[in-house]
């Protein structure tokens, strides 16, 4: 859980170091123990437990931070790109996020049986981020009206949730299909994407 009150600078550094170390540890080994995570972060295990009462709480906060960073990007994308290109790049980043989450799948499974609202919160944040991008596209006449972020998220979530080999390549193709479909019926469909930069690979 996020801290309820501001932390001292040293405590904040420890907490940030633990989250960074945990993300790396879970990607390397989903069964990584708290002792290893604390060692990677350069702190004692007791310090880890002062910030996160359980391993599951740490896993949830790592995921929550990933989602927060992802969903903070729409404004920056809109500043740097046309609205439809900003939307396309964000959809590619959703695929990347799914790939990172897949790498942490067993770690994330550990919080599925808890009462943590982390996944529902994540879906809400992603939907709102998509709504922000879609609204900008609609205002510019670049995508069709009447499509909500939650619908686009569900469309992309179907392929991202599959565990078959090659799912990520298929997901990138789905992004292209979604973007083409959203352009269809837009007021300025003929001009949409003319000034957009070349395709960006997920980073």
């Amino acid at each position: 859980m996020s801290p309820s009150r501001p932390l001292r600078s040293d405590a904040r550094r420890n907490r940030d170091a633990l989250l960074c170390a945990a993300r790396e540890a879970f990607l390397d080994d989903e069964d990584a123990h708290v002792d290893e995570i604390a060692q990677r972060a350069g702190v004692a295990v007791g310090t880890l437990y002062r910030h996160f009462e359980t391993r599951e709480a740490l896993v949830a906060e790592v995921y929550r931070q990933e989602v927060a960073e992802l969903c903070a990007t729409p404004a920056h994308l809109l500043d740097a790109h046309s609205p439809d290109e900003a939307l396309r790049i964000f959809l590619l980043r959703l695929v990347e996020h799914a790939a990172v989450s897949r790498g942490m799948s067993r770690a994330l499974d550990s919080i599925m049986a808890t009462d943590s609202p982390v996944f529902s919160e994540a879906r809400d944040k992603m939907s709102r981020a998509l709504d922000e991008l879609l609204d900008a596209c609609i205002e510019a006449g670049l995508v069709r009206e009447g499509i909500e972020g939650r619908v686009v998220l569900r469309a992309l979530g179907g392929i991202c949730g599959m565990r078959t080999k090659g799912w990520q390549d298929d997901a990138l193709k789905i992004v292209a299909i979604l973007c083409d479909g959203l352009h269809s019926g837009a007021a300025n469909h003929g001009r949409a994407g003319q000034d957009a930069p070349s395709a960006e690979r997920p980073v």
Side-chain angles (χ1 to χ4, degrees), residues 80-101:
H81 304 278
S82 63
D84 56 335
E85 178 66 3
L87 174 63
R88 188 185 70 84
I89 293 172
F90 186 78
L91 290 174
L92 293 176
R93 291 183 180 179
L94 282 175
V95 175
E96 179 192 358
H97 165 77
V100 172
S101 298

Side-chain angles (χ1 to χ4, degrees), residues 44-117:
V45 174
T47 299
L48 184 152
Y49 282 121
R50 279 198 294 275
H51 289 282
F52 307 102
E53 293 182 357
T54 63
R55 182 178 184 276
E56 289 71 28
L58 175 59
V59 172
E61 193 59 26
V62 169
Y63 183 74
R64 188 177 284 112
Q65 184 181 64
E66 290 279 334
V67 172
E69 291 175 358
L70 171 69
C71 294
T73 61
H76 302 294
L77 291 173
L78 288 169
D79 284 342
H81 304 278
S82 63
D84 56 335
E85 178 66 3
L87 174 63
R88 188 185 70 84
I89 293 172
F90 186 78
L91 290 174
L92 293 176
R93 291 183 180 179
L94 282 175
V95 175
E96 179 192 358
H97 165 77
V100 172
S101 298
R102 184 71 60 87
M104 291 174 54
S105 60
R106 283 207 306 274
L108 291 172
D109 285 347
S110 69
I111 59 174
M112 289 292 288
T114 71
D115 294 329
S116 173

